[in-house]
Amino acid sequence: MRQKTVTEFIPATPGEVRDMGWDGLDVVLVTGDAYIDSPYSGAAVIGRVLMDAGYRVGVVAQPDVSTGKDIQRLGEPALFWGVTSGNVDSMVANYTASGKRRKSDDMTPGGKNDRRPDRAVIAYANLIRRYFKNTRPIVLGGVEASLRRVSHYDAWSDSIRRSVLFDAKADYIVYGMGEQAVVELAQALREKRGVEHIRGICYVSGDVPEPDAAFADPAVRLADHAAVAKSKKQFAEMFKTFCQNADPATGKRLCQLQDTRFLVQNPPSLPPTSRQLDEIYELPFSRKLHPLDEKHGAVKALDTVRFSLTTHRGCFGDCRFCAIAVHQGRQVVSRTKESILREARSFLSHPDFKGIVSDAGGPTANMYGMECERKKKKGACPDKGCLFPAVCKGLRIDHGPQIELLNALRRIEGIRRVFVGSGIRYDLIVEDPKNGEAYLEILLRHHVSGQMKIAPEHVADNVLRLMGKPGRKTLEEFLSMFERMKRKTGAKVFLTYYLMAAHPGCTLSHMKDLRTFASRTLRLLPEQVQIFTPTPSTWSSIMYHAETDPFSGERIFVEKKAAGKQKQKEALAKKDSRNIKGIKHTSDKKRIRKPKPRPSK
């Protein structure tokens, strides 16, 4: 029978372990983030899931890699070490798109970026082996390990790096969201069974695995690391095969020769059911910063996520610069309305709750309750996306379920406001003739304040095509709808825009055209323009490295010089732009509040 223990925090000190009545731990989780006991913290979720399954779990947050005092604090686990860089790839967390060291870190106490090492999963794995010789298996997880699980382009070294499993000298990777796989892995290790049958993991093998009872199809062999490191064409073809096997319904086991050994990637874990997702997010998270971290200062991210609601998981947007599809999957799984309402009501008993729900959403807020029935049964279409190059006729676009959810949340006594702070796909609103305008209306009346965020990224159709984003015409249709709804509701809400410079295929001329569009049509010139960062395991990073459109084979322009990237950004967001008559500037706080920093994907 499983032991279920409710505690304010997963133990992070020896005293807390003793208070649980434990004489040791089964699993020690090591994370590059501060320990926030929140469903928005990957380490907290995995820890809570394992504890709910009856395992003794401890957390070591942001250990000092120069000494053993932190990593040795909880002793050696009986089953495995779980290592993650945190919610963001450490290189993205530590460096700007221009290569400058970031000074701040919203997931570090005090906000100073001085506690997360570069290539954190490698650094932490090395730290463990330095102080625990011949120790229990080291299991990598989280975004950094997930997106670096096969040979991948690394912008910071401008090279093709091998699987992080080999560079970290670890034993396994749990890729994707990981809750199912990590429990199965813990069970197998406790029972001293093999793990080769577990979906959602990677491991090292001396040979190509043979078909077996778990995976009857022959393993698909990816091009060897040595080959893809030399040939941009082979690298692009390898990544195409990798993506073709990323769907849980159709994906096959993959293997890739890394040195003299093979990386083996089992097929992805099956998506959780709505009920399983409910159970995960209703685990007893305290939504607090652990006292061990709290003494070093506040964690800024907690202000945003403490009283936010995750309504669904996954994204079928397929933006080519985004890694959500590779990590969370292309299938959207929505929680039940009843579960979300229960979680919201639980906020009322929290001592810090002031009646404000910061966000009710997911990777894309308005995908709640939407999914293609064919995809659920047969997997994603191999030859087209759900929204690109056009919205698929098989996709049931209906904002009705989210309207019902938001209405129900507003009716909870004690909740004063519910905000939708997650990104919103405006093309979905345009393509919903039944409830699109009604959804936009309730957003403006009740769920946004001052600004509403959308992400057109660009307006040049050939750049948008490479990004996998809807064309300019769709944006213009939404802008007209937005203005009509503003007049109807009288809402004092402005649109703020995520825009991107230096994406593969984007030239300085394209950015000048975007400036013209922004000044004439949007009537503002934003300062928050993001320079494209080629993150691992995205199609856009393939384009950046190969300077080729991998879908057409055509050569494309790629701006790789830092000065050129900065020029593209400045072409849109020049400091003197506020001198243009009638144009708002996002740095003018009297007119438009400064948008929140863009969340990393």
Side-chain angles (χ1 to χ4, degrees):
M1 189 175 190
R2 293 191 314 180
Q3 171 195 358
K4 290 192 177 183
T5 306
V6 177
T7 176
E8 187 173 33
F9 291 102
I10 301 167
T13 67
E16 289 173 330
V17 174
R18 290 192 296 272
D19 289 345
M20 296 291 289
W22 298 342
D23 58 3
L25 296 172
D26 298 313
V27 179
V28 173
L29 301 177
V30 183
T31 175
D33 291 337
Y35 171 29
I36 297 173
D37 194 62
S38 161
Y40 284 82
S41 164
V45 170
I46 294 299
R48 287 291 181 185
V49 166
L50 284 166
M51 285 181 68
D52 188 61
Y55 295 93
R56 303 170 301 171
V57 184
V59 174
V60 176
Q62 298 186 315
D64 184 345
V65 296
S66 65
T67 75
K69 65 182 180 67
D70 292 328
I71 203 65
Q72 292 176 307
R73 183 191 311 138
L74 300 180
E76 185 176 32
L79 296 180
F80 67 87
W81 299 87
V83 174
T84 173
S85 69
N87 285 2
V88 182
D89 185 292
S90 59
M91 300 304 285
V92 175
N94 288 348
Y95 297 94
T96 69
S98 301
K100 296 179 180 178
R101 182 83 183 183
R102 296 188 193 273
K103 296 180 180 179
S104 63
D105 186 337
D106 289 352
M107 287 298 294
T108 293
K112 187 177 180 181
N113 186 21
D114 60 358
R115 295 183 63 180
R116 190 194 313 269
D118 291 352
R119 309 194 186 283
V121 295
I122 298 175
Y124 293 152
N126 289 341
L127 180 66
I128 292 167
R129 293 205 185 279
R130 190 185 317 153
Y131 291 97
F132 296 91
K133 307 297 183 184
N134 302 314
T135 187
R136 301 292 188 263
I138 295 176
V139 182
L140 310 181
V143 170
E144 182 168 310
S146 187
L147 302 186
R148 296 175 181 269
R149 62 187 186 261
V150 298
S151 298
H152 56 279
Y153 176 69
D154 178 77
W156 296 271
S157 61
D158 190 26
S159 66
I160 304 298
R161 292 181 66 101
R162 62 180 181 169
S163 169
V164 72
L165 183 62
F166 285 73
D167 282 346
K169 298 181 176 62
D171 298 278
Y172 308 108
I173 293 175
V174 170
Y175 70 90
M177 298 304 283
E179 295 96 345
Q180 297 175 60
V182 77
V183 171
E184 289 187 46
L185 180 65
Q187 291 171 343
L189 292 176
R190 181 166 62 183
E191 296 168 8
K192 295 181 170 55
R193 295 185 286 108
V195 303
E196 293 79 10
H197 64 288
I198 300 174
R199 281 177 167 265
I201 72 163
C202 300
Y203 61 92
V204 180
S205 174
D207 301 295
V208 175
E210 296 292 333
D212 52 31
F215 308 115
D217 293 322
V220 175
R221 184 164 175 176
L222 301 176
D224 298 351
H225 172 75
V228 300
K230 293 178 181 178
S231 169
K232 294 180 179 180
K233 183 177 180 180
Q234 286 198 58
F235 178 67
E237 287 297 319
M238 181 276 295
F239 187 73
K240 182 178 181 180
T241 304
F242 170 76
C243 288
Q244 288 170 341
N245 288 277
D247 192 282
T250 58
K252 294 180 174 59
R253 186 159 51 181
L254 302 177
C255 64
Q256 184 181 33
L257 187 67
Q258 293 283 310
D259 42 34
T260 60
R261 301 162 297 164
F262 289 90
L263 169 78
V264 178
Q265 174 187 298
N266 285 348
S269 295
L270 297 175
T273 64
S274 293
R275 296 293 181 183
Q276 288 171 331
L277 209 55
D278 290 348
E279 291 176 1
I280 292 169
Y281 287 99
E282 290 191 75
L283 289 169
F285 298 98
S286 66
R287 301 175 189 275
K288 296 178 181 179
L289 177 64
H290 191 277
L292 201 61
D293 284 324
E294 192 175 37
K295 67 184 182 182
H296 297 293
V299 171
K300 187 176 180 181
L302 186 56
D303 296 337
T304 303
V305 305
R306 191 196 298 267
F307 300 115
S308 291
L309 296 164
T310 297
T311 59
H312 59 285
R313 180 182 287 182
C315 181
F316 48 72
D318 279 338
C319 299
R320 289 171 180 164
F321 49 80
C322 176
I324 288 176
V326 176
H327 186 60
Q328 289 198 17
R330 290 175 63 185
Q331 180 174 323
V332 169
V333 179
S334 299
R335 293 172 61 190
T336 64
K337 182 175 73 172
E338 294 74 20
S339 171
I340 298 168
L341 295 178
R342 284 195 298 270
E343 185 182 356
R345 291 190 189 100
S346 75
F347 295 171
L348 301 175
S349 61
H350 197 288
D352 298 319
F353 186 60
K354 308 299 182 185
I356 305 297
V357 176
S358 304
D359 183 28
T364 300
N366 57 325
M367 287 183 183
Y368 176 77
M370 297 185 199
E371 193 43 273
C372 168
E373 292 303 317
R374 179 197 179 282
K375 190 198 298 182
K376 290 180 181 179
K377 299 174 183 176
K378 299 182 179 180
C381 296
D383 56 346
K384 62 178 179 180
C386 297
L387 301 182
F388 184 84
V391 176
C392 178
K393 294 180 180 179
L395 179 65
R396 179 175 169 267
I397 297 178
D398 182 9
H399 289 82
Q402 195 182 37
I403 291 173
E404 292 178 9
L405 173 64
L406 293 173
N407 289 341
L409 286 168
R410 289 201 312 277
R411 288 194 291 266
I412 296 176
E413 188 175 350
I415 291 182
R416 296 188 290 121
R417 290 294 299 271
V418 179
F419 290 104
V420 175
S422 304
I424 294 169
R425 284 290 298 229
Y426 58 85
D427 51 335
L428 287 175
I429 297 177
V430 170
E431 293 288 343
D432 182 0
K434 182 180 178 181
N435 286 312
E437 289 202 4
Y439 175 68
L440 182 58
E441 180 175 351
I442 73 158
L443 285 181
L444 296 188
R445 288 189 185 279
H446 304 292
H447 301 289
V448 294
S449 177
Q451 60 185 14
M452 176 176 165
K453 299 178 288 186
I454 61 173
E457 306 296 356
H458 217 287
V459 294
D461 283 338
N462 54 341
V463 177
L464 292 168
R465 176 182 58 81
L466 292 168
M467 290 180 169
K469 298 286 289 185
R472 180 189 300 203
K473 182 180 177 182
T474 304
L475 174 60
E476 292 172 337
E477 288 182 44
F478 176 75
L479 293 175
S480 297
M481 182 188 295
F482 180 83
E483 289 302 320
R484 289 197 309 272
M485 199 55 63
K486 269 188 69 173
R487 290 192 295 270
K488 178 180 178 179
T489 61
K492 295 181 179 180
V493 177
F494 297 95
L495 285 173
T496 58
Y497 306 88
Y498 291 136
L499 300 169
M500 186 180 293
H503 184 276
C506 181
T507 65
L508 185 59
S509 176
H510 288 134
M511 294 306 295
K512 290 178 179 178
D513 289 344
L514 178 55
R515 177 186 174 89
T516 300
F517 180 88
S519 61
R520 293 179 180 176
T521 303
L522 306 182
R523 304 305 298 166
L524 58 81
L525 292 172
E527 279 194 337
Q528 285 206 342
V529 180
Q530 176 176 308
I531 295 176
F532 166 73
T533 299
T535 52
S537 295
T538 64
W539 279 113
S540 293
S541 69
I542 306 300
M543 298 178 199
Y544 183 90
H545 173 61
E547 300 179 53
T548 303
D549 178 354
F551 302 98
S552 69
E554 297 176 358
R555 295 283 294 177
I556 57 174
F557 171 77
V558 177
E559 180 56 79
K560 293 191 173 182
K561 295 180 180 178
K565 295 176 183 180
Q566 188 64 27
K567 283 183 180 179
Q568 285 202 21
K569 177 178 179 178
E570 291 175 353
L572 177 58
K574 290 184 178 178
K575 294 295 185 182
D576 63 354
S577 60
R578 72 184 74 194
N579 296 328
I580 302 175
K581 185 178 180 180
I583 296 178
K584 300 183 181 72
H585 197 281
T586 55
S587 65
D588 187 346
K589 295 182 180 179
K590 293 181 180 179
R591 299 187 185 186
I592 303 177
R593 295 190 306 174
K594 186 177 179 181
K596 296 177 183 177
R598 182 174 187 169
S600 298
K601 294 181 180 180

